[in-house]
Amino acid sequence: MIIPKTREEIELIRESALIVSKTLGMLAPKIKPGVTTLELDKYAEEFIRDHGAEPGFLGLYDFPNSLCMSPNAQVVHGIPNDKPLEEGDIISIDCGALKNGFYGDHAYTFPVGEIAPETAELLKVTKESLYVGIREFRLGNRVGDVGYAIQKYTEDRGYGVVRELVGHGLGSKMHEDPEMPNYGKRGRGKKFKEGMVVAIEPMINQGTKRIKQLADGWTILTADNKPSAHFEHDIALVDGKPELLSTFKYIYDALGIESDEEEEFRAKIYD
């Protein structure tokens, strides 16, 4: 069942989402060759707690850490460890925060040093597809409209769209209705309602759409071991249009990147 949120609840979700956004921004300059994902995880947990929130992933479904850290061919749900990142890696960082009874959930795939041009193109297209999908999250549309837009944008460029893992509704639970696949057919699926909050998160593979799971019960890999990218925003349906509750601004500020990609979806300017 879809649970529309009041304006007050949307603001509480925004608060949690922005803690996640700031956490990713804090981590951004630390993502260099030689750092371990476990070190980054510890930085994140401390930062989230210092901002009056609880790590949203720690203990959720018995997950052992605060961040899902998924390098290279890992799609999502990678467990932080002591292996140093290397030049040319990519690393998907998925982070959650719980404050005032509501969750934020937000992800970004970072390059580690200089990466191969074809890998950089995968990251670029996957992030672009996120905004392509967000544009379809509006009153009168359905879940399939978002999925279709993401699927067409990425498959037209030769990439594989993961089927088994999807975005989701967001609120007092990390995962609420509706599921938000990154594939679909126009006009199909649940209809969007004013006040809905969802996490849209393309998971796009350089090669096959097929995946496999490690014996740890968490880590998802591409079946052909080619790289995968993952970007995620939290979005509310406000006055019939998508409004971003999360932002990549803090990442871009930390890395000296200029971007106006969020402007059409942003109702507030963040310090």
Side-chain angles (χ1 to χ4, degrees):
M1 181 178 69
I2 294 173
I3 306 172
K5 309 302 189 292
T6 65
R7 294 294 177 96
E8 292 78 12
E9 289 171 332
I10 288 172
E11 290 308 310
L12 291 174
I13 297 171
R14 189 196 307 274
E15 186 175 355
S16 294
L18 288 178
I19 289 172
V20 177
S21 299
K22 291 175 181 178
T23 303
L24 294 175
M26 177 273 297
L27 292 173
K30 302 179 186 298
I31 300 168
K32 298 177 179 179
V35 72
T36 71
T37 52
L38 196 56
E39 288 173 325
L40 297 173
D41 184 75
K42 291 176 180 176
Y43 289 133
E45 179 177 355
E46 181 178 358
F47 187 90
I48 291 167
R49 294 190 188 281
D50 285 349
H51 283 75
E54 297 291 324
F57 294 166
L58 183 62
L60 185 70
Y61 313 124
D62 294 325
F63 188 74
N65 293 88
S66 297
L67 299 176
C68 292
M69 306 282 281
S70 308
N72 302 321
Q74 293 185 18
V75 182
V76 288
H77 302 164
I79 298 174
N81 58 45
D82 286 323
K83 182 181 178 182
L85 295 176
E86 298 181 1
E87 182 84 13
D89 285 345
I90 59 173
I91 179 77
S92 164
I93 303 183
D94 195 354
C95 179
L98 174 64
K99 186 175 182 180
N100 297 320
F102 289 92
Y103 283 94
D105 177 20
H106 189 23
Y108 193 92
T109 301
F110 295 87
V112 182
E114 293 294 323
I115 62 175
E118 60 269 24
T119 308
E121 184 66 13
L122 169 67
L123 268 58
K124 175 178 177 288
V125 169
T126 302
K127 183 154 62 71
E128 288 171 350
S129 78
L130 171 60
Y131 296 106
V132 168
I134 290 171
R135 288 187 189 98
E136 299 298 319
F137 181 57
R138 59 179 187 264
L139 210 59
N141 276 6
R142 295 178 180 270
V143 166
D145 295 308
V146 172
Y148 172 84
I150 294 171
Q151 180 182 9
K152 179 171 175 51
Y153 192 84
T154 53
E155 288 186 347
D156 282 356
R157 289 157 178 79
Y159 297 111
V161 180
V162 174
R163 300 300 201 268
E164 294 87 346
L165 302 156
V166 299
H168 51 90
L170 185 71
S172 60
K173 295 181 180 179
M174 176 67 76
H175 299 110
E176 297 184 354
D177 280 342
E179 290 190 343
M180 297 290 295
N182 298 303
Y183 62 93
K185 295 183 178 180
R186 287 204 174 279
R188 301 285 183 88
K190 293 184 178 180
K191 200 169 186 179
F192 297 138
K193 300 178 181 179
E194 179 74 12
M196 284 180 65
V197 178
V198 299
I200 297 176
E201 48 179 319
M203 290 158 272
I204 308 300
N205 300 341
Q206 192 176 80
T208 180
K209 66 185 178 184
R210 293 184 296 108
I211 59 173
K212 55 189 177 183
Q213 188 173 43
L214 290 185
D216 63 19
W218 282 103
T219 307
I220 303 296
L221 293 161
T222 59
D224 57 8
N225 292 316
K226 291 184 178 180
S228 182
H230 175 214
F231 292 87
E232 178 180 18
H233 269 312
D234 302 333
I235 314 101
L237 193 59
V238 178
D239 296 329
K241 298 179 294 185
E243 181 178 314
L244 282 183
L245 305 182
S246 54
T247 179
F248 294 148
K249 176 186 184 300
Y250 302 110
I251 295 171
Y252 295 159
D253 286 350
L255 299 180
I257 297 171
E258 293 188 7
S259 173
D260 61 359
E261 66 193 17
E262 297 180 2
E263 292 305 314
E264 65 184 286
F265 311 112
R266 190 186 284 173
K268 298 191 176 186
I269 302 299
Y270 303 119
D271 295 329

